[in-house]
Amino acid sequence: MPNRIPVVEKILSANDRLAAENRARFDAAGVFAINIMASPGAGKTSLIEKTVAALKDRLRIGMINGDIATSFDADRAAAAGAAAVQINTGGDCHLDAVMLQSALPQLDLSALDLVIVENVGNLVCPAEFALGTHKSILVASIPEGDDKPYKYPGMYRGVDAVVINKIDLLPYVPFRLDFFKKGIEALNPGVTQFELSCRTGEGLEPWLNWLLAQA
Amino acid sequence: MHELAVAESILEIAVRHAKGQNAQKITDLYIVMGAWSSVVDDSLQFHWDLLSDGTIAKGAILHFKRIPVELLCLDCGQSYAPSSRDLLCPKCESVKIKVKTGEEFFLEAIEVE
Ligand SMILES: Nc1nc2c(ncn2[C@@H]2O[C@H](COP(=O)(O)OP(=O)(O)OP(=O)(O)O)[C@@H](O)[C@H]2O)c(=O)[nH]1
Ligand SMILES: [Mg+2]
Ligand SMILES: [Zn+2]
């Protein structure tokens, strides 16, 4: 006779437990950690380069890069002045708490103030896997189009800040900023937003100040 | 996609609950999935078949209950399903909305012998 057992358990709860362990490690070391997510090419590494270059005299910064195969992005962050670690996900579409946990020993957390995790370029999967970082940040960029909050609501729902990058391209690309922002406001009311260009440096200041205030 | 990670999690949760009840075999699993939560495709079944082989869940059937997204307008009280072009309230165009359903992703129950 089959017998029904009620379970009602979140399917990714094991990942959430490991994320809590990662968080505890960051906290124990007094490190502020952020998870940067975006579609491929939105400017995650560019933002990290600019951030590291601007803040490296005030904060000791580590960078963990999740990439399907290469170490280009970790090399760029290292060149900007961060202690950088590469995680090759070997085809996985996101970082998860286990991958982060196994990368952490490669960084001396006690010698760092800020750890920036660059997630795999993807607008769906990373949102589902908590890493244990203190804040998650979504980088959107003008050439991706203004309909992205509507198409990828899950990604916009859970983040603590949205960085709208490549505003230098606004004159050249059709992009309804108000339509885009309405979508963000509906999905994530009151979320912190920055409009900037990693290319020209316009708008970077508020982002850097926000980070400094947290770290 | 991450169907392997999802299959591993489902297996771990199901086997833990089944063993807690001294069950010998898991026959069915009921998964609740909101339209805005996880994206899993047909390869989940493939990973499931490989992973569950040799466990008490071998041959068990995965059942999916898909929950559509339902939004509530906090200004006028209208309940609605978002269209692919718009999230805002179709009645008053408010951006003040609450997600009532569609973000679920959990294992609801298992059937065991
Ligand atoms: N015009 C313009 N281009 C930018 C800006 N920021 C980044 N880019 C360019 O966008 C491209 C992608 O930038 P990356 O920083 O590598 O993007 P990413 O999100 O790290 O990409 P992946 O890690 O490959 O997913 C590069 O050619 C950058 O030079 C910007 O503000 N304006
Ligand atoms: Mg990059
Ligand atoms: Zn309304």
Side-chain angles (χ1 to χ4, degrees):
Chain A
M1 259 298 285
N3 187 1
R4 189 177 168 97
I5 303 177
V7 176
V8 193
E9 198 170 309
K10 271 181 68 187
I11 286 172
L12 298 172
S13 55
N15 182 73
D16 292 347
R17 281 194 296 277
L18 285 172
E21 288 178 28
N22 290 341
R23 170 71 67 92
R25 270 164 89 167
F26 288 129
D27 286 343
V31 167
F32 179 69
I34 62 175
N35 173 19
I36 299 199
M37 301 180 281
S39 59
K44 297 176 292 297
T45 312
S46 301
L47 184 66
I48 294 168
E49 286 175 315
K50 291 283 179 194
T51 304
V52 172
L55 299 183
K56 68 177 174 211
D57 294 333
R58 281 187 274 180
L59 297 176
R60 298 166 298 171
I61 306 175
M63 187 264 201
I64 297 176
N65 175 248
D67 199 292
I68 291 183
T70 71
S71 70
F72 297 156
D73 291 355
D75 297 343
R76 283 167 62 187
V85 171
Q86 177 65 33
I87 305 176
N88 283 128
T89 64
D92 263 340
C93 44
H94 62 276
L95 289 178
D96 63 24
V98 183
M99 295 180 213
L100 185 64
Q101 194 162 62
S102 52
L104 281 183
Q106 295 177 59
L107 282 178
D108 178 6
L109 290 183
S110 66
L112 295 174
D113 304 305
L114 170 67
V115 167
I116 306 177
V117 180
E118 177 175 346
N119 217 308
V120 181
N122 184 312
L123 271 187
V124 180
C125 311
E128 290 178 49
F129 293 86
L131 300 180
T133 49
H134 297 90
K135 299 278 179 199
S136 35
I137 288 121
L138 174 61
V139 180
S141 65
I142 301 300
E144 289 168 62
D146 54 23
D147 57 357
K148 291 301 164 290
Y150 303 83
K151 283 192 174 161
Y152 301 95
M155 185 56 100
Y156 283 82
R157 286 281 289 160
V159 297
D160 302 295
V162 178
V163 171
I164 305 170
N165 185 30
K166 310 196 188 182
I167 56 166
D168 57 292
L169 297 178
L170 274 172
Y172 312 105
V173 182
F175 190 95
R176 294 160 295 175
L177 202 53
D178 54 337
F179 176 69
F180 182 80
K181 291 186 142 214
K182 262 190 186 167
I184 297 179
E185 189 54 30
L187 292 166
N188 197 334
V191 68
T192 306
Q193 296 181 33
F194 303 97
E195 291 165 34
L196 54 82
S197 165
C198 290
R199 175 119 191 244
T200 65
E202 186 188 350
L204 270 170
E205 209 55 38
W207 156 254
L208 296 171
N209 290 337
W210 181 78
L211 260 189
L212 278 172
Q214 325 259 344
Chain B
M1 289 301 140
H2 47 264
E3 281 66 25
L4 176 60
V6 168
E8 283 170 347
S9 289
I10 294 172
L11 184 63
E12 185 271 324
I13 297 168
V15 168
R16 177 159 39 80
H17 282 264
K19 290 197 166 153
Q21 306 276 326
N22 297 315
Q24 306 300 307
K25 186 171 166 51
I26 300 171
T27 58
D28 297 87
L29 296 93
Y30 294 87
I31 295 154
V32 177
M33 213 162 72
W36 274 4
S37 75
S38 194
V39 188
V40 291
D41 60 36
D42 296 345
S43 70
L44 182 61
Q45 186 71 50
F46 168 80
H47 288 298
W48 173 257
D49 293 342
L50 285 181
L51 275 177
S52 61
D53 194 18
T55 74
I56 62 168
K58 178 175 162 65
I61 299 167
L62 300 176
H63 304 266
F64 293 96
K65 194 202 288 181
R66 294 176 195 272
I67 312 279
V69 176
E70 193 184 340
L71 305 179
L72 172 70
C73 173
L74 297 176
D75 276 333
C76 78
Q78 174 83 8
S79 280
Y80 63 100
S83 77
S84 58
R85 308 190 143 267
D86 212 351
L87 292 166
L88 311 190
C89 174
K91 218 166 122 189
C92 74
E93 294 189 354
S94 170
V95 291
K96 280 194 220 147
I97 59 170
K98 186 178 167 214
V99 181
K100 280 170 72 180
T101 63
E103 298 193 297
E104 305 78 0
F105 190 42
F106 62 92
L107 182 60
E108 184 173 36
I110 55 176
E111 276 174 17
V112 299
E113 282 173 356

